Amino acid sequence: MKIAKGILVTFFFPVIFFSQAQTATSVSNLFPLIPKPVSFKASEGKFPLSNKTIIVADSSSIPDVEIFNLQLEKIYGFSLPVFLPGQHVHEDGVISVSRQTKQLIPKDGYELSVHQKLISLNGKDAGVFYGFQTLLQLIIPGMEKTDSIPCCEVKDSPRFPWRGMHLDVCRHFFSKEFIKKYIDLIALYKMNTFHWHLTDDQGWRIEIKKYPKLIETGSWRNGSMVGAYSNGQFDSIRYGGYYSQDDIREVVAYAMQRHVTIVPEIEMPGHSLAALASYPELSCTGGPFEVAKAWGVFDDVYCPKEETFQFVENVLSEVCDLFPGKYIHVGGDECAKVRWKNCEHCQKLMKEKKLKDENQLQSYFIRRLERYLHSKGKQLIGWDEILEGGLAPGVTVMSWRGTEGGIIAAKQHHDVVMTPGSHCYFDYYQGSPDYEPLGIGGYTTVEKVYSYEPVPAELSSENKKYILGAQGNVWTEYIQTPSQVEYMALPRMCALAEVLWSPKEMKKYSEFQNRLIRHFSLLDKLNVNYAKTIYELKTSVKPLENGNGISFGLTSPFTSGNIFYTMDGSDPAAESVLYTQPVSIVKSCKVKAAYFEDGQRKGNTLSQEFFVSKSTGKKIKLNIPPHENYFCNGPQSLVDGIKGDLHKHGQNWLGWWGKDMVAEIDLGKKETFSKISLDVYDGEASWIYLPVSIEILISDDGDQFSSIKKLSSEEIKKFNGAIEIQTGNQSARFVKVIAKNAGKIPDGKQGSGNDAWLFVDEISVE
Ligand code: ACM
Ligand code: ZN
């Protein structure tokens, strides 16, 4: 859109109608604004958008006006003529835009007043742009069609300065056109940071002029994994792609116009096989290497020799020139140490520099990068492993293995961006894995993302200020296409955007969900393939009061229709049993349920199998609580009759990180039994390892236990996860099950050096 200097530009305007007057009191929650503004007051009346509407903007706002016009054009097929103040006299239908005339507006904040003849938008910094995003979302108030903007007063500004989305373009490559669409979405939700993961074992994606082999060799692999990691299957299709420096400059400029800063990530010292395949002399062994076809973590990493530092500094120098933002991400995560342990140079360097272990060698690596980036006027950011061996001064930490890294860093007065797997990994399943495309694992629903609070309660008020914000991460091992990226990112990024923008006290999921459902029409207009998992029936399981089974509850986010269900394995129809109250499950069965409106099923059919045994619904105690990321419904999840899927560690599994499971079940009275079953998950790619022993103990008083059976690691492996322990005839009231965690993950295995996860579900006593 060019500025129309004094001439009214002709444009096409779609004729759409607004049918229903809305009152001031009910209206604020009805507008599908995401993120929710800090203050929104609706009033009577509407500003009619028509071919007489013009925009009058001061010169500093013109770039934002131009982007708004491009957005209007894309969504509605029209744009508005633009004038500088005083250029054009217009009685009504004016959108008046100015930047920072009110000193009281906070950074990146805006004030928007919509009256019947005038809209005025006043913003500070990116605030003008954000005000336009609100205006854009107001044009489509939910289910109503409108050619008007409802009268209102909005005062708004962000809660956190870092509102980010990440995308891995290495495991799968995405064109610059798609990257622009992704940036459009980031900007639409008033987020401001795009973390572009540009290099990894499976591909190097950024042209570096000084090192052409990074593209010639490093951007291609000779095949990819097919299906789940555990299948170990590959295709032999050559796969690759990269961005030229011109592409990068184009995308950086595009992002900047939308107030999005790009943080490029150049991974080191680990996740660097694509670079080592191109320049094997930078490794400890000299190679040769192939760009990785498998997902996961590899032993070969950069060797910290002078030649390597020359290389990475030259690479970073070109990266610094391409990206004007202050942060450069250098990875730092999942660096295997086995090559360093066996490398003459590495060991000599450690002695020389008095580094006591390989973690300190990693810290030495990162410190050198930090000094270099500092000399270029940039700031280093890295994943939380950069804490190990001591944090270099001045670096920012991205906390991904939970929140602990972020807490430690903030206590040391380092800036922190929160991206814990539990709430911010949008490659995790967002709905029941039964219905979702194959994913990496996990279970992070829209509601869970929405519940996220980035500032850990453990931090003192003084240290809270180091939490810059949070970010949603989209790793693409199992995401092959742009449409699948959209599916995994949305609507979870809508939820995160609100977490990061809106005041904490305003958050209410049910209200957000209502807004979101109506907001979907905007995503439809933008041709975004968002997930509809929020329509899934929600389930709840509770022990029956008499302890002899499970009470199974179902709810739908909709209320105008009904839920129907079956218990005989047949598909539910509008003629099946009407759900009115939780269903009692007292024997093994499969419940299938779906939500219907006017006889039509909406959303997926839920299918839940129950395995009822003598332990189902009984009291259970865990001596060591599971990790917060894999807590499910707490201890009761182990005796709720529902088994975790042995092929997808999404729902239903309880996880312990580096800790054992000690479960004590009270059968309520003395019971006879001869078999105890439990499921354990085997998932090396996700650092989930089988327990090294499982012991069964029994007791009559819950105090003195005697051991009746103990399985060794070798015996456990034979069961492929579904463990059945023949105990011989026993009689007892209390059963204790101890599953021992595999401990520190050894070299050569995925996650080496980290604690292993132990995943357990459903303990059945038969
Ligand atoms: C990560 O997910 N490896 C940062
Ligand atoms: Zn070495």
Side-chain angles (χ1 to χ4, degrees):
M1 170 65 202
K2 295 255 183 321
I3 304 170
K5 293 211 171 64
I7 315 153
L8 212 57
V9 178
T10 30
F11 62 102
F12 300 100
F13 205 90
V15 183
I16 33 185
F17 300 96
F18 188 72
S19 57
Q20 189 182 316
Q22 294 175 341
T23 61
T25 43
S26 67
V27 97
S28 65
N29 285 344
L30 284 176
F31 292 108
L33 296 175
I34 295 175
K36 190 171 186 172
V38 174
S39 158
F40 183 97
K41 288 201 188 80
S43 51
E44 294 290 344
K46 296 170 288 201
F47 174 96
L49 268 181
S50 79
N51 58 6
K52 296 201 176 64
T53 307
I54 65 164
I55 298 177
V56 175
D58 62 10
S59 55
S60 70
S61 303
I62 295 293
D64 294 328
V65 172
E66 289 184 345
I67 301 297
F68 175 63
N69 258 333
L70 286 175
Q71 291 178 298
L72 278 180
E73 186 77 52
K74 189 179 273 177
I75 304 173
Y76 300 106
F78 68 89
S79 58
L80 300 173
V82 184
F83 300 90
L84 290 167
Q87 264 189 338
H88 189 81
V89 182
H90 207 68
E91 288 289 293
D92 49 48
V94 175
I95 302 177
S96 163
V97 187
S98 61
R99 187 176 297 270
Q100 208 183 353
T101 55
K102 284 194 188 172
Q103 288 309 313
L104 291 177
I105 298 179
K107 180 166 167 47
D108 294 334
Y110 67 92
E111 291 183 3
L112 175 69
S113 302
V114 180
H115 304 282
Q116 295 190 11
K117 296 186 172 180
L118 173 72
I119 293 176
S120 66
L121 168 60
N122 194 250
K124 191 171 223 168
D125 313 308
V128 173
F129 181 82
Y130 296 143
F132 274 127
Q133 302 316 298
T134 298
L135 207 49
L136 203 64
Q137 295 190 13
L138 278 172
I139 301 174
I140 38 156
M143 291 161 289
E144 308 303 332
K145 288 195 165 172
T146 179
D147 55 357
S148 317
I149 300 174
C151 290
C152 59
E153 292 280 334
V154 187
K155 288 195 168 103
D156 206 7
S157 59
R159 180 177 169 206
F160 289 102
W162 188 299
R163 304 180 301 280
M165 283 298 296
H166 149 289
L167 184 65
D168 165 15
V169 295
C170 303
R171 277 51 179 264
H172 287 100
F173 179 72
F174 301 94
S175 69
K176 77 175 172 199
E177 286 71 31
F178 178 68
I179 299 297
K180 288 181 183 174
K181 186 175 181 190
Y182 198 67
I183 289 168
D184 285 343
L185 289 166
I186 291 173
L188 177 66
Y189 295 113
K190 303 187 176 85
M191 296 174 108
N192 63 356
T193 306
F194 170 46
H195 173 168
W196 204 357
H197 183 78
L198 286 163
T199 74
D200 214 304
D201 298 304
Q202 297 80 4
W204 184 283
R205 306 281 176 230
I206 172 173
E207 179 189 26
I208 300 295
K209 299 278 189 199
K210 200 173 174 77
Y211 299 105
K213 281 195 276 184
L214 288 171
I215 288 310
E216 289 158 19
T217 304
S219 74
W220 292 93
R221 62 177 183 252
N222 288 324
S224 309
M225 286 200 109
V226 179
Y229 181 90
S230 54
N231 297 344
Q233 300 284 313
F234 294 86
D235 65 28
S236 53
I237 302 165
R238 195 163 150 78
Y239 184 93
Y242 73 95
Y243 309 101
S244 70
Q245 294 206 347
D246 282 344
D247 290 339
I248 300 265
R249 276 187 280 269
E250 187 182 324
V251 171
V252 165
Y254 187 90
M256 202 185 275
Q257 289 170 333
R258 287 151 184 82
H259 300 272
V260 172
T261 303
I262 301 186
V263 177
E265 181 180 354
I266 309 295
E267 269 266 31
M268 56 193 93
H271 284 295
S272 48
L273 259 186
L276 298 184
S278 316
Y279 297 96
E281 61 274 21
L282 306 176
S283 69
C284 290
T285 65
F289 307 106
E290 265 200 319
V291 179
K293 295 191 278 190
W295 318 134
V297 172
F298 298 88
D299 290 341
D300 289 292
V301 303
Y302 288 110
C303 177
K305 46 193 167 192
E306 284 313 305
E307 193 181 352
T308 303
F309 286 111
Q310 263 310 310
F311 168 85
V312 296
E313 287 180 9
N314 289 335
V315 167
L316 289 175
S317 168
E318 291 190 31
V319 171
C320 289
D321 290 345
L322 286 167
F323 293 92
K326 104 172 153 176
Y327 291 101
I328 304 287
H329 202 303
V330 299
D333 60 318
E334 301 182 314
C335 178
K337 306 293 183 331
V338 58
R339 294 290 182 260
W340 292 357
K341 282 179 190 162
N342 297 300
C343 169
E344 213 173 294
H345 166 78
C346 287
Q347 293 303 313
K348 191 159 143 264
L349 181 65
M350 283 168 61
K351 278 209 188 77
E352 219 172 273
K353 302 285 178 195
K354 301 195 168 43
L355 307 172
K356 76 174 195 316
D357 60 17
E358 286 72 21
N359 283 336
Q360 290 199 348
L361 184 54
Q362 155 133 345
S363 176
Y364 167 82
F365 199 114
I366 301 291
R367 276 167 205 266
R368 284 198 55 165
L369 297 180
E370 196 286 325
R371 277 203 302 275
Y372 178 73
L373 288 174
H374 188 78
S375 77
K376 304 283 287 181
K378 300 286 188 183
Q379 210 162 327
L380 181 149
I381 180 165
W383 301 109
D384 58 46
E385 285 93 332
I386 65 172
L387 280 155
E388 292 161 4
L391 208 48
V395 310
T396 301
V397 172
M398 204 167 250
S399 189
W400 73 280
R401 295 175 302 173
T403 55
E404 290 98 325
I407 294 167
I408 294 168
K411 284 182 176 167
Q412 296 176 15
H413 299 181
H414 284 268
D415 284 342
V416 170
V417 176
M418 286 298 197
T419 65
S422 54
H423 295 78
C424 296
Y425 268 45
F426 297 170
D427 54 339
Y428 285 14
Y429 289 110
Q430 59 191 314
S432 168
D434 290 345
Y435 309 113
E436 290 298 295
L438 179 68
I440 199 160
Y443 185 59
T444 298
T445 60
V446 175
E447 185 169 6
K448 186 161 184 190
V449 176
Y450 194 78
S451 74
Y452 185 53
E453 168 49 39
V455 180
E458 294 91 324
L459 288 180
S460 66
S461 47
E462 164 64 16
N463 289 338
K464 284 182 174 152
K465 65 170 184 275
Y466 295 105
I467 307 296
L468 300 181
Q471 176 177 291
N473 291 343
V474 181
W475 300 99
T476 58
E477 287 93 335
Y478 297 91
I479 303 177
Q480 290 92 352
T481 62
S483 136
Q484 188 63 8
V485 172
E486 292 169 13
Y487 182 85
M488 297 306 276
L490 289 132
R492 286 186 283 195
M493 76 181 270
C494 302
L496 186 62
E498 187 147 316
V499 167
L500 292 170
W501 180 281
S502 310
K504 184 179 163 186
E505 313 72 58
M506 272 177 33
K507 278 196 336 180
K508 187 164 177 231
Y509 181 70
S510 56
E511 189 270 311
F512 169 75
Q513 185 173 262
N514 281 335
R515 249 184 303 130
L516 181 61
I517 286 169
R518 280 171 292 112
H519 181 87
F520 282 160
S521 62
L522 178 56
L523 292 176
D524 288 331
K525 285 193 163 67
L526 291 167
N527 286 323
V528 173
N529 177 35
Y530 56 93
K532 299 179 183 74
T533 48
I534 61 160
Y535 293 108
E536 278 188 358
L537 293 182
K538 273 201 231 164
T539 61
S540 65
V541 279
K542 273 198 320 216
L544 284 173
E545 257 164 46
N546 63 13
N548 287 332
I550 291 295
S551 162
F552 183 48
L554 293 164
T555 46
S556 162
F558 300 96
T559 48
S560 58
N562 289 304
I563 297 170
F564 293 95
Y565 70 99
T566 65
M567 291 179 76
D568 59 4
S570 62
D571 281 330
E575 297 77 38
S576 305
V577 183
L578 174 69
Y579 176 87
T580 54
Q581 61 180 37
V583 184
S584 294
I585 309 288
V586 292
K587 60 180 200 300
S588 294
C589 63
K590 187 185 267 181
V591 178
K592 285 186 157 188
Y595 174 77
F596 291 80
E597 272 177 15
D598 303 325
Q600 294 292 313
R601 176 167 61 81
K602 293 246 169 178
N604 291 323
T605 297
L606 175 131
S607 172
Q608 182 61 65
E609 194 151 18
F610 287 92
F611 302 86
V612 175
S613 76
K614 288 178 178 161
S615 55
T616 311
K618 296 298 187 303
K619 288 202 177 78
I620 180 166
K621 213 165 68 182
L622 291 173
N623 296 16
I624 304 166
H627 191 276
E628 58 177 344
N629 291 12
Y630 295 98
F631 196 80
C632 296
N633 296 317
Q636 206 62 42
S637 308
L638 290 175
V639 286
D640 62 1
I642 298 174
K643 292 189 178 192
D645 184 332
L646 286 168
H647 304 288
K648 293 173 172 174
H649 68 277
Q651 280 167 306
N652 300 320
W653 292 94
L654 290 189
W656 287 261
W657 196 18
K659 300 202 171 84
D660 304 333
M661 182 205 71
V662 183
E664 198 180 303
I665 301 166
D666 178 356
L667 298 173
K669 62 181 183 355
K670 207 162 172 154
E671 294 274 10
T672 55
F673 58 90
S674 59
K675 185 168 97 178
I676 293 187
S677 315
L678 73 157
D679 291 340
V680 290
Y681 194 87
D682 189 4
E684 178 177 346
S686 303
W687 312 356
I688 307 167
Y689 287 84
L690 292 175
V692 290
S693 68
I694 297 174
E695 187 175 12
I696 308 291
L697 305 93
I698 55 172
S699 163
D700 283 333
D701 59 4
D703 186 24
Q704 300 293 316
F705 280 86
S706 53
S707 177
I708 55 166
K709 194 93 181 191
K710 188 166 180 180
L711 295 194
S712 68
S713 178
E714 287 314 306
E715 287 168 311
I716 290 167
K717 281 181 194 153
K718 288 184 198 146
F719 286 99
N720 290 327
I723 299 192
E724 294 193 354
I725 303 169
Q726 304 298 337
T727 59
N729 287 338
Q730 303 287 343
S731 171
R733 175 170 168 184
F734 297 91
V735 175
K736 189 186 273 195
V737 182
I738 304 176
K740 265 205 122 26
N741 187 293
K744 278 267 179 280
I745 303 170
D747 286 343
K749 295 270 189 195
Q750 294 296 318
S752 64
N754 285 282
D755 287 332
W757 282 92
L758 165 68
F759 271 39
V760 181
D761 190 27
E762 208 56 18
I763 304 177
S764 309
V765 176
E766 291 163 77

